[in-house]
């Protein structure tokens, strides 16, 4: 087979359990959905009004790489916030959300057989994108002892055959945030090993407690080997608009622009105007969104603490990676029973890597009172389960 | 310079057009309708395969024109919404697991999607005959005179058959509907014929319900779902078309 082509695919899908859970939940009433990663908050109205006005008057010029003004605004934001300089004409590309950016990036970087280092657990779309490109996943395990963050030494031991590192910071599904010092160490490994880094920074504006989020592109000599992947979906509650971007070296951006031109064409202009409004308008709504998630995170963490359910420290974003091993059943079964008996939808850890049967991903995308109610329901589910176990023990 | 995958070499002649030249004729009422839906909260991911009502209307129109009937209870299950024709074709090819060196039989020399076929490493055979590596047939409604030949060829080797309607599903002047087999033909097309829809592009794939999961999977992997404003604009465009037609 020509290595030029998109590779043959197995068609395997690890998401069948997840699909079944979601479909079951859709048929039920009064389910508290703490599964998906789609912000429940509405897009700020001023963003919608502004996008409509700009499209009405058709402001600005647009190339197949995206709206000029949006690319410039993104470049200015990189310079202002991270002191990173990008040429908006050559080094930034607008995509249909970060998901498309990720998929096209894999096609642009990975040839059949190439090794791609990915943190485990991981967002499952990475597997599909790597699969489409014919790449080989090299999973880098993480653990609770280090809050599920990527460690340089674990990376170092798995470099053989790897050309690309996917670095998701802040992380989905774990919510972990790698400290700036650790990012520097990971950058050093990547630099010495000549890795190209895909830096997924979708949750970077949603860091809690004023924590610093260092982009790996900011580390010494890393910008030229890093592709930054981001979107507006999470930060501004704009998931339905499907708009994101890539920033990276011009030869890479040029390649992805051609791929995008062939596969999906330019991104929706209306959504690009909305993204421009989000980025250049008042950031008050963004701060309100972060405040909301901060309160929800506290309610959820306190609830889990009260139930004695351990979890990795959520440093950013809207996910908590919780250890359900004490319930004595694999995460698929736990989520299925929790849904049926307590009407709470969580996503099983095995949706994010086959070995995570002791974990679940909890999203905090519900109002505080619903999160508190979910914790209460999990508590009752736990009590009923313990009662059942106790009765069985007595009977035997 | 970042090292690139070898497949990128197939794209050196792909041009990156200046999109400023694209003409946008979005009526104020379509734009108002899109804005209203967003202000009412349709700012989230839509159902992954697309808004059910939009999918139902596309399925119904295909049947009305003489194409395969959709599933009686869940007609939306036969249709997947995508962003553009090229995305439709891409998810079809991924779903069919075509491999480099496979061949497509078509009746045309030139294709709007030639670069995509090249990217996938596919050969295009113009002759309507089978070879060892033939994997599917591809035909466009208005640009092929060999619909029956190609469909027969697909049937002979039990191959999938792609029928590309382009923007013409709602074009009443085009008849008859090309031949299609319910369990074999994948129908793709777009809604660009409606005023404003070049600005809010939407395309679709329609096929046997039992097979659609494989295409949905790749659409979701590629971009989760199509943009909500475009899908809402499409529903507006369809309603306006029906109103005018009445």
């Amino acid at each position: 087979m020509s290595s030029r082509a998109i590779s043959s695919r197995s068609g395997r899908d690890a998401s069948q359990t997840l699909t079944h859970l979601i479909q079951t939940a859709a048929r039920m009433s009064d389910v508290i959905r703490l599964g998906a990663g789609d912000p429940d908050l509405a897009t700020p109205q001023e963003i919608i009004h502004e996008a409509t006005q700009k499209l009405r008057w058709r402001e600005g010029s647009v190339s197949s790489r995206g709206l000029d003004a949006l690319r410039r605004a993104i470049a200015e934001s990189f310079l202002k916030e991270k002191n990173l300089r990008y040429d908006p004409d050559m080094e930034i590309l607008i995509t249909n959300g970060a998901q498309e950016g990720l998929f096209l990036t894999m096609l642009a970087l990975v040839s059949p057989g190439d090794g791609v280092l990915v943190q485990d657990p991981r967002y499952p779309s990475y597997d599909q994108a790597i699969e489409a490109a014919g790449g080989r996943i090299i999973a880098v395990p993480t653990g609770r002892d280090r809050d599920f963050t990527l460690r340089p030494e674990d990376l170092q031991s798995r470099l053989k055959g790897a050309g690309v590192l996917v670095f998701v910071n802040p992380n989905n599904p774990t919510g972990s945030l790698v400290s700036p010092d650790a990012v520097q160490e990971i950058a050093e490994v990547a630099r010495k090993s000549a890795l190209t880094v895909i830096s997924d920074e979708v949750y970077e504006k949603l860091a809690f407690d004023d924590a610093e989020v260092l982009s790996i592109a900011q580390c010494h000599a890393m910008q030229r080997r890093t592709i930054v992947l981001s979107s507006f979906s999470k930060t501004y509650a704009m998931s339905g608009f499907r708009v994101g971007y890539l920033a990276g070296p011009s030869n890479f951006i040029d390649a992805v622009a051609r791929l995008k031109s062939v596969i999906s064409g330019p991104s929706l202009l209306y959504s690009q105007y909305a993204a421009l409004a989000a980025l250049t308008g008042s950031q008050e709504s963004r701060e309100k969104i972060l405040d909301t998630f901060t309160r929800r995170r506290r309610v959820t963490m306190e609830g889990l603490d009260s139930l004695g359910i351990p979890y990795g420290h959520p440093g950013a974003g809207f996910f908590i990676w919780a250890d359900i091993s004490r319930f004595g059943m694999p995460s698929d079964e736990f989520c299925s029973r929790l849904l049926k008996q307590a009407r709470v939808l969580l996503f099983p850890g095995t949706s994010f890597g086959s070995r995570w049967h002791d974990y679940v991903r909890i999203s905090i995308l519900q109002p505080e009172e619903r999160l508190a109610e979910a914790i209460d329901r999990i508590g009752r589910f736990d009590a009923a389960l313990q009662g059942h176990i106790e009765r069985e023990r007595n009977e035997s | 310079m970042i090292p690139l995958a070898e497949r990128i070499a197939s794209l050196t002649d792909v041009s990156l057009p200046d999109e400023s030249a694209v003409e946008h004729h979005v009526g104020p009422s379509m734009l108002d309708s899109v804005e209203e839906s967003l202000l009412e909260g349709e700012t989230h991911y839509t159902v992954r395969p697309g808004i059910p009502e939009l999918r139902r209307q596309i399925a119904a129109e295909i049947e009305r024109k003489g194409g395969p009937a959709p599933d009686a209870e869940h007609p939306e299950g036969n249709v997947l919404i995508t962003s553009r024709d090229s995305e439709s074709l891409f998810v079809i090819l991924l779903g069919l697991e075509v491999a480099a060196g496979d061949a497509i039989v078509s009746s045309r020399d030139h294709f709007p999607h030639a670069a995509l076929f090249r990217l996938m490493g596919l050969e295009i055979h113009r002759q309507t005959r089978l070879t060892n590596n033939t994997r599917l047939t591809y035909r466009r409604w208005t640009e092929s005179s060999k619909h029956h030949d190609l469909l027969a060829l697909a049937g002979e080797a039990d191959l999938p058959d792609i029928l590309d309607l382009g923007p013409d599903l709602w074009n009443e002047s085009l008849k008859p509907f090309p031949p299609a087999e319910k369990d074999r033909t994948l129908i793709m097309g777009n809604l660009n014929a409606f005023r404003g829809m070049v600005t809010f592009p939407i395309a679709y794939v329609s096929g046997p319900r039992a097979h659609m999961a494989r295409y949905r999977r790749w659409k979701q992997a590629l971009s989760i779902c199509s943009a909500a404003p475009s899908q809402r604009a499409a529903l507006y465009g369809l309603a306006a078309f029906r109103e005018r037609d009445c």
Side-chain angles (χ1 to χ4, degrees):
Chain A
M1 184 202 308
S2 160
S3 59
R4 170 184 292 181
I6 310 288
S7 81
S8 179
R9 288 148 297 280
S10 67
R12 284 189 301 270
D13 194 342
S15 66
Q16 285 175 345
T17 306
L18 201 55
T19 304
H20 179 69
L21 275 172
I22 293 167
Q23 287 173 345
T24 304
R27 290 192 295 270
M28 296 169 65
S29 60
D30 189 32
V31 173
I32 303 178
R33 291 176 172 77
L34 307 181
D38 185 2
D40 58 314
L41 306 172
T43 306
Q45 291 198 353
E46 62 271 21
I47 291 175
I48 297 167
H49 289 312
E50 184 84 358
T52 305
Q53 283 307 106
K54 284 185 183 297
L55 188 69
R56 206 181 295 280
W57 301 110
R58 187 69 175 80
E59 289 180 10
S61 59
V62 57
S63 81
S64 51
R65 292 166 192 254
L67 189 66
D68 291 6
L70 177 57
R71 286 182 285 115
R72 286 181 207 298
I74 292 167
E76 283 166 20
S77 160
F78 270 115
L79 188 60
K80 186 176 157 194
E81 295 174 14
K82 300 188 172 117
N83 199 30
L84 289 171
R85 194 173 295 279
Y86 287 99
D87 177 347
D89 293 327
M90 304 298 290
E91 296 178 323
I92 289 175
L93 177 76
I94 308 302
T95 58
N96 297 345
Q99 182 105 347
E100 189 192 54
L102 157 70
F103 202 101
L104 298 179
T105 294
M106 289 298 176
L107 293 185
L109 295 181
V110 178
S111 291
D114 287 353
V116 181
L117 293 151
V118 190
Q119 179 174 338
D120 188 30
R122 60 190 178 272
Y123 180 52
S125 291
Y126 280 104
D127 291 26
Q128 284 177 274
I130 294 166
E131 182 193 345
R136 186 169 46 86
I137 293 170
I138 305 173
V140 185
T142 62
R144 209 172 91 201
D145 56 331
R146 54 217 190 240
D147 276 327
F148 306 99
T149 56
L150 191 65
R151 283 199 315 194
E153 55 270 34
D154 292 330
L155 192 56
Q156 188 78 51
S157 65
R158 284 167 178 80
L159 290 170
K160 193 176 175 190
V164 174
L165 164 65
V166 178
F167 184 44
V168 187
N169 187 42
N171 191 266
N172 174 11
T174 67
S176 66
L177 176 62
V178 180
S179 71
D181 286 348
V183 173
Q184 294 281 7
E185 291 175 40
I186 291 165
E188 192 175 342
V189 175
R191 210 166 37 240
K192 284 182 177 166
S193 313
L195 296 176
T196 298
V197 179
I198 301 170
S199 182
D200 180 338
E201 301 180 3
V202 162
Y203 297 95
E204 59 128 357
K205 295 277 192 340
L206 297 174
F208 300 116
D209 307 323
D210 295 322
E212 182 187 354
V213 184
L214 183 73
S215 169
I216 198 165
Q218 290 173 276
C219 300
H220 173 65
M222 282 303 292
Q223 188 179 354
R224 64 174 180 245
R225 60 172 65 256
T226 300
I227 290 132
V228 176
L229 173 76
S230 197
S231 89
F232 299 86
S233 299
K234 316 297 182 183
T235 313
Y236 299 96
M238 287 174 56
S239 51
F241 289 78
R242 311 308 306 124
V243 58
Y245 59 89
L246 292 168
S250 59
N251 76 314
F252 165 80
I253 291 294
D254 185 71
V256 180
R258 287 171 203 281
L259 275 169
K260 183 163 167 56
S261 177
V262 168
I263 291 172
S264 62
S267 294
L268 180 64
L269 188 56
Y270 185 87
S271 295
Q272 295 192 61
Y273 281 132
L276 179 62
L279 201 54
T280 57
S282 157
Q283 298 303 298
E284 200 178 312
S285 54
R286 190 186 92 189
E287 285 155 17
K288 277 186 189 163
I289 289 171
L290 180 57
D291 286 347
T292 301
F293 290 149
T294 303
R295 288 195 303 275
R296 292 175 176 187
R297 167 183 173 256
R298 182 179 46 76
V299 168
T300 312
M301 288 167 71
E302 286 174 359
L304 292 171
D305 289 343
S306 73
L307 295 176
I309 297 175
Y311 52 88
H313 180 74
F318 35 63
F319 300 119
I320 296 177
W321 188 243
D323 179 346
I324 47 103
S325 55
R326 78 169 171 80
F327 289 85
M329 62 184 92
S331 63
D332 288 6
E333 185 185 343
F334 175 84
C335 290
S336 179
R337 288 175 66 174
L338 185 71
L339 176 62
K340 286 172 185 158
Q341 292 169 31
R343 294 177 185 266
V344 175
L345 174 62
L346 307 180
F347 281 0
T350 45
S351 298
F352 305 93
S354 57
R355 76 185 185 98
W356 298 98
H357 42 75
D358 282 341
Y359 286 83
V360 292
R361 189 185 79 172
I362 303 172
S363 82
I364 57 172
L365 299 174
Q366 290 285 340
E368 286 161 67
E369 58 275 18
R370 291 292 278 172
L371 288 166
E373 168 68 17
I375 294 292
D376 197 42
R377 291 185 189 187
I378 295 170
R380 290 202 296 268
F381 172 79
D382 188 16
L385 189 67
Q386 297 309 322
H388 181 72
I389 292 168
E390 188 67 25
R391 277 195 302 281
E392 276 193 340
R393 193 177 294 142
N394 290 339
E395 282 168 15
S396 66
Chain B
M1 296 275 279
I2 280 188
L4 299 174
E6 291 172 40
R7 65 177 64 87
I8 296 302
S10 72
L11 303 177
T12 46
D13 63 341
V14 170
S15 60
L16 297 174
D18 179 2
E19 296 294 323
S20 298
V22 175
E23 291 191 17
H24 295 262
H25 299 290
V26 185
S29 46
M30 174 184 269
L31 199 48
D32 289 345
S33 167
V34 168
E35 185 182 61
E36 191 182 328
S37 70
L38 292 167
L39 291 171
E40 284 173 357
E42 290 189 26
T43 58
H44 305 282
Y45 299 126
T46 67
V47 178
R48 301 304 188 262
I51 295 175
E53 180 55 27
L54 178 58
R55 288 151 60 207
R56 277 194 289 272
Q57 290 197 35
I58 291 168
E61 188 64 14
I62 289 172
E63 184 182 17
R64 193 181 75 80
K65 284 286 168 61
D71 184 271
E73 285 185 26
H74 300 286
E76 70 278 4
N78 293 81
V79 177
L80 168 69
I81 301 298
T82 68
S83 304
R84 290 179 192 269
D85 289 335
S86 52
E87 192 181 74
S88 292
L89 192 53
F90 187 55
V91 298
I92 288 173
L93 295 174
L94 288 170
L96 292 175
E97 298 181 35
V98 297
D102 286 347
I104 289 176
V105 176
S106 177
S107 56
R108 297 189 70 225
D109 279 331
H110 302 290
F111 300 88
H113 306 296
L116 179 56
F117 289 136
R118 208 166 58 235
L119 176 71
M120 306 291 281
L122 301 175
E123 297 171 13
I124 301 169
H125 293 176
R126 186 163 183 263
Q127 303 88 339
T128 47
R129 62 180 174 81
L130 294 168
T131 55
N132 286 339
N133 59 345
T134 307
R135 282 297 312 279
L136 67 153
T137 55
Y138 171 86
R139 52 202 170 99
R140 281 172 71 87
W141 184 357
T142 54
E143 296 166 0
S144 176
S145 57
K146 296 183 177 173
H147 286 294
H148 287 282
D149 293 349
L150 286 163
L151 186 57
L153 200 67
E156 188 184 322
D158 197 17
L159 300 175
D161 164 57
I162 300 176
L163 170 60
D164 186 346
L165 303 182
D168 292 318
L169 180 57
W170 281 268
N171 185 341
E172 296 297 340
S173 65
L174 278 176
K175 287 177 183 172
F177 194 82
E181 279 184 28
K182 185 170 185 170
D183 294 327
R184 183 179 314 286
T185 304
L186 291 162
I187 296 173
M188 53 176 275
N190 63 59
L191 277 71
N192 288 357
F194 297 125
R195 181 182 156 89
M197 291 307 294
V198 172
T199 306
F200 287 102
I202 277 294
Y204 58 88
V205 178
S206 174
R209 186 168 174 236
H211 298 180
M212 293 305 287
R214 66 178 74 165
Y215 311 118
R216 285 199 301 267
R217 172 179 185 252
W218 285 110
K219 164 61 185 171
Q220 186 167 343
L222 182 57
S223 57
I224 301 182
C225 62
S226 296
S230 282
Q231 294 191 56
R232 187 48 63 185
L235 281 167
Y236 176 88
L238 284 166
F241 176 76
R242 272 199 310 274
E243 207 169 283
R244 196 190 60 196
D245 217 31
C246 290

